[in-house]
Structure formats: C-alpha cells, structure tokens
C-alpha cells in the first residue's frame, strides 16, 4: 500500500490548524477564568477596605439618617470613600472591572453616600469641580441601574438635582 505524501501533508496541515484553534480556545478560556478570579480577589480586597468605614455607613444609611452625629473624623472618612469611588470610576472607565462586578457589591453604599444630604452639602455641592469623577460615575451608574430596572437608593435626594450636575457629570 502506497501513501500519498501530498495527502499526508494536507492532513497534517489540517490537524495542525485544528490543534491551533483548540489551543486558542483553551487560552481564551483560561484568560476569562483568570479575569473572573481577579475580579473576585478585587471585590474581597475592597470589602476589607469597607470594614474600616462600617460605622460611617451606619450614620449615613438613608433609612436611619443621623447627620447631626457626623463629625470632622467622619468627614475625613467621607473624603476617603469619595476617593475610593473615584478609583472605581477609573477602573470602570479603563475596562479593568465591569459594572456587573461592582454594582451589587457597592451600589447601595455608593448611592447612600452621594445621595446623603450632609455629603452633598459638605463636599459634593461645595467642591464639585474636584469631584467630577464622582458625578460622572453617578451618571453612568444611574443609567446602568435604570437599564437593568434596579432601584436607586436615595433617589429623592439625587445628585442630579444639584446645580451644575450636567456640566460636572459630562466627560470633558
């Protein structure tokens, strides 16, 4: 029995192509899994940061507003949390993380924070130019939650009501 060398060459070329495609699929799958693991690690690390702010969140809970009890130490924590959410905005903007990753974990605390009257008066309304990323994050997060038919905490005191919101939330 005689084997055609051209036939074997074509067969090995086809098999090599199939193996390359399978390899690319395996690499894609591994990269996807690595991203999911990295997202999970990111969420765990962020929750660790939030533990240090748990007392502040009990004070700004929209259902238990106690802004008379907020003090300068709390204001420093508020500024720190706003800075944290600025970092979240940049990670979202650069597609490092997705809204699906942060929405359920941080949506409640974000909207509780930025819709709180004291936070708006003491920081966001007074220093809006310095918090443009917070206004941008608010705008895209509101749009995201609306697209998913999800409730927005504290909507009755929304940032959208502040003077200059449209300018501050635009990406310039």
């Amino acid at each position: 029995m005689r084997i055609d060398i051209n036939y074997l060459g074509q067969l090995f070329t086809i098999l090599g192509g199939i193996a390359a495609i399978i390899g690319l699929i395996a690499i894609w799958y591994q990269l996807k899994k690595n991203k999911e693991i990295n997202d999970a690690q990111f969420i765990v690390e962020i929750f660790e940061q939030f533990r240090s702010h748990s007392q502040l969140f009990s004070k700004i809970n929209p259902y238990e507003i106690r802004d008379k009890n907020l003090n300068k130490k709390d204001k420093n924590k508020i500024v720190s949390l706003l800075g944290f959410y600025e970092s979240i905005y940049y990670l979202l903007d650069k597609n490092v993380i997705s809204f699906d990753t942060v929405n359920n974990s941080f949506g409640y605390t974000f909207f509780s924070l930025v819709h709180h009257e004291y936070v708006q008066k003491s920081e966001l309304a007074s220093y809006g130019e310095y918090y443009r990323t917070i206004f941008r994050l608010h705008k895209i997060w509101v749009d995201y939650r609306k697209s998913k038919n999800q409730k927005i905490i504290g909507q009755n005191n929304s940032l959208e009501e502040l003077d200059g919101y449209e300018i501050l939330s635009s990406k310039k």
Side-chain angles (χ1 to χ4, degrees):
M1 178 170 158
R2 193 173 153 184
I3 299 174
D4 185 1
I5 295 201
N6 287 334
Y7 173 75
L8 280 178
Q10 289 174 347
L11 180 64
F12 286 133
T13 300
I14 291 170
L15 291 175
I18 291 171
I21 290 170
I22 291 171
L24 288 174
I25 291 170
I27 290 170
W28 171 81
Y29 180 78
Q30 186 62 43
L31 289 174
K32 183 179 175 197
K33 286 295 172 192
N34 284 346
K35 183 180 182 331
E36 291 170 359
I37 290 169
N38 288 339
D39 284 352
Q41 286 174 333
F42 172 77
I43 295 296
V44 168
E45 289 171 13
I46 296 304
F47 275 131
E48 291 297 319
Q49 290 180 11
F50 268 132
R51 284 186 190 175
S52 66
H53 299 297
S54 61
Q55 286 181 327
L56 174 65
F57 278 114
S58 70
K59 289 181 181 181
I60 64 170
N61 183 322
Y63 301 109
E64 301 176 24
I65 293 180
R66 302 177 203 146
D67 59 342
K68 292 178 182 153
N69 296 329
L70 292 171
N71 56 41
K72 286 200 179 269
K73 190 187 262 187
D74 294 326
K75 185 174 178 177
N76 291 338
K77 289 180 182 178
I78 289 168
V79 170
S80 174
L81 281 170
L82 290 169
F84 163 77
Y85 280 111
E86 288 176 326
S87 299
I88 293 288
Y89 171 80
Y90 288 116
L91 292 171
L92 289 164
D93 190 50
K94 301 295 182 196
N95 295 316
V96 175
I97 57 174
S98 68
F99 266 112
D100 290 336
T101 301
V102 298
N103 183 49
N104 291 333
S105 301
F106 304 112
Y108 181 85
T109 54
F110 174 75
F111 288 108
S112 294
L113 180 68
V114 300
H115 288 168
H116 192 278
E117 185 178 358
Y118 177 83
V119 174
Q120 288 181 3
K121 285 180 182 175
S122 68
E123 288 299 314
L124 298 174
S126 301
Y127 306 106
E129 278 296 317
Y130 296 103
Y131 291 111
R132 289 181 75 95
T133 52
I134 295 298
F135 284 89
R136 288 183 201 130
L137 179 59
H138 181 270
K139 184 178 180 105
I140 59 176
W141 210 331
V142 164
D143 292 344
Y144 174 85
R145 290 187 70 89
K146 284 180 180 177
S147 75
K148 302 280 185 185
N149 294 318
Q150 296 176 342
K151 182 179 179 184
I152 299 168
I153 301 299
Q155 191 64 22
N156 59 327
N157 198 41
S158 178
L159 278 183
E160 295 164 313
E161 304 302 319
L162 290 180
D163 289 338
Y165 175 81
E166 286 302 319
I167 293 168
L168 292 170
S169 63
S170 66
K171 195 170 184 177
K172 289 184 179 179

